[in-house]
Amino acid sequence: QVQLVESGGGLVQAGGSLRLSCAVSEGTLYYAMGWFRQAPGKERDFVARIKWRGGSTEYADSVKGRFTISRDNAKNTVYLQMNSLKPEDTAVYYCAADTDTRHTYYSGSYYSAAAVYDYWGQGTQVTVSS
């Protein structure tokens, strides 16, 4: 059974850092992994994506230069290193798995759509105080 388990959320002051982890079952079977976030009363927004093989990455403009997505193939774990955090980064953060290898033929920013991802973790709260 596919399982994604996030950890690492918490309360941090503006300007601080956090590292989120997502433990992935059968990770090498996935095409890519994504991180999304959802603030209260708002839609779930794309944050970052990494291809499981090759490791190429994409980021939302709002986090470029501050967040870094990475993966450890041996540990089947995906990370989101978040630096220079701002109060507007406050949200529940979710990791998600894209298992469709046909997406290797796609172009454009299709990966930023939540509907692309087949499996989701339970989420971890990140709160940034001003």
Side-chain angles (χ1 to χ4, degrees):
Q1 184 174 350
V2 174
Q3 286 189 324
L4 307 177
V5 180
E6 301 103 332
S7 60
L11 174 64
V12 64
Q13 288 188 331
S17 299
L18 282 174
R19 188 177 80 157
L20 306 183
S21 299
C22 175
V24 183
S25 64
E26 302 176 1
T28 56
L29 299 180
Y30 303 161
Y31 174 64
M33 297 295 299
W35 283 98
F36 284 74
R37 64 187 182 186
Q38 188 167 19
K42 296 189 177 181
E43 294 184 351
R44 190 168 296 190
D45 291 331
F46 170 76
V47 175
R49 193 271 306 250
I50 186 166
K51 291 183 181 178
W52 200 261
R53 292 188 175 91
S56 61
T57 59
E58 289 81 28
Y59 297 91
D61 288 342
S62 59
V63 306
K64 279 182 182 176
R66 300 189 298 124
F67 290 13
T68 302
I69 188 171
S70 63
R71 86 262 189 262
D72 185 327
N73 287 10
K75 295 182 179 180
N76 277 358
T77 301
V78 177
Y79 303 99
L80 185 68
Q81 177 66 44
M82 305 185 295
N83 298 328
S84 302
L85 282 161
K86 306 175 181 179
E88 51 264 44
D89 294 319
T90 295
V92 176
Y93 283 70
Y94 299 90
C95 71
D98 171 8
T99 64
D100 193 344
T101 57
R102 294 174 299 178
H103 290 158
T104 190
Y105 303 109
Y106 285 34
S107 60
S109 59
Y110 72 91
Y111 50 81
S112 64
V116 165
Y117 299 83
D118 310 285
Y119 301 99
W120 293 82
Q122 81 286 353
T124 185
Q125 177 70 46
V126 172
T127 303
V128 184
S129 63
S130 57

